[in-house]
Amino acid sequence: MVPAPSSTTRTVALDINGEKHHLSVDHRTTLLDALRERLGLTGTKKGCDQGQCGACTVLVDRRRAVSCLHLAVAAEGREITTIEGIADGEDLHPVQQAFLDLDGYQCGYCTPGQVCSAIAVIEEHAAGWPSAATADVRPESVPPPLTPEEIRERMSGNLCRCGAYVSIVQAVAQGARAHEEARTATAEEAAA
């Protein structure tokens, strides 16, 4: 007698934007499809569905991930942040504000993924992670300045079909300055 095949579905608990969601999903369901189709979080966009364009970028444990290649079952127990969870109530995240201030979007389709990626880029840079554009990658070297070349290299996984790259680079730079100012202010408050 041949044993019956095991179920291809499982109930997962996903922590998305600070809220727990319990979903019964097929093991092959991507995080992108779970977000958009099951939870109605349509800010995360479906572009190429092959991990090439970055439109579906979200933060998983504060690191960027293309959700079209990330299985929902693999996201269980991880902290997932989508564009809907970036702002603090009515107060936009500094990167979101920079995209608005500097017109870092045109049609806006790629903007949620660009913003999520930019937030991770700024944190990666602040932590001293090198990129392919970083000249000195020795551990004892200081992080390089976040130049337009560094930003373009670090954001290269996010495509903008409208070509708003100049404004996107400026928005990431402005967001990085705001991030650094906030870190400095927090350090000064802690020292006082």
Side-chain angles (χ1 to χ4, degrees):
M1 175 177 227
V2 176
S6 64
S7 173
T8 60
T9 62
R10 181 174 135 198
T11 300
V12 293
L14 299 176
D15 179 3
I16 302 168
N17 302 326
E19 288 185 32
K20 287 279 189 209
H21 299 272
H22 296 275
L23 297 173
S24 179
V25 296
D26 184 283
H27 293 160
R28 299 163 293 186
T29 302
T30 64
L31 179 56
L32 173 62
D33 288 340
L35 292 170
R36 289 183 59 80
E37 297 173 15
R38 301 293 305 283
L39 296 171
L41 296 170
T42 57
T44 304
K45 303 301 183 210
K46 184 178 273 197
C48 67
D49 213 18
Q50 298 176 7
Q52 302 283 324
C53 71
C56 67
T57 303
V58 297
L59 301 175
V60 176
D61 292 337
R62 300 181 58 163
R63 294 185 65 186
R64 54 192 157 157
V66 285
S67 60
C68 71
L69 297 181
H70 201 102
L71 296 176
V73 294
E76 187 168 29
R78 316 279 299 276
E79 179 186 330
I80 302 158
T81 306
T82 68
I83 193 67
E84 291 91 348
I86 298 294
D88 183 13
E90 295 295 315
D91 296 326
L92 294 179
H93 186 281
V95 172
Q96 289 175 304
Q97 189 63 55
F99 268 75
L100 281 174
D101 293 345
L102 298 165
D103 293 327
Y105 57 90
Q106 283 184 25
C107 78
Y109 195 81
C110 72
T111 305
Q114 298 274 1
V115 168
C116 287
S117 191
I119 290 168
V121 159
I122 291 166
E123 290 190 13
E124 291 165 7
H125 179 263
W129 295 11
S131 77
T134 305
D136 187 355
V137 296
R138 293 176 296 161
E140 65 274 6
S141 67
V142 295
L146 196 54
T147 63
E149 292 76 23
E150 278 282 338
I151 292 170
R152 280 192 287 276
E153 172 59 33
R154 291 170 186 267
M155 293 289 293
S156 64
N158 291 81
L159 303 179
C160 173
R161 288 174 175 86
C162 298
Y165 293 113
V166 172
S167 298
I168 290 169
V169 170
Q170 292 171 348
V172 175
Q174 180 174 309
R177 286 190 297 274
H179 181 267
E180 185 56 35
E181 289 169 6
R183 272 186 6 162
T184 302
T186 302
E188 289 172 356
E189 287 174 9

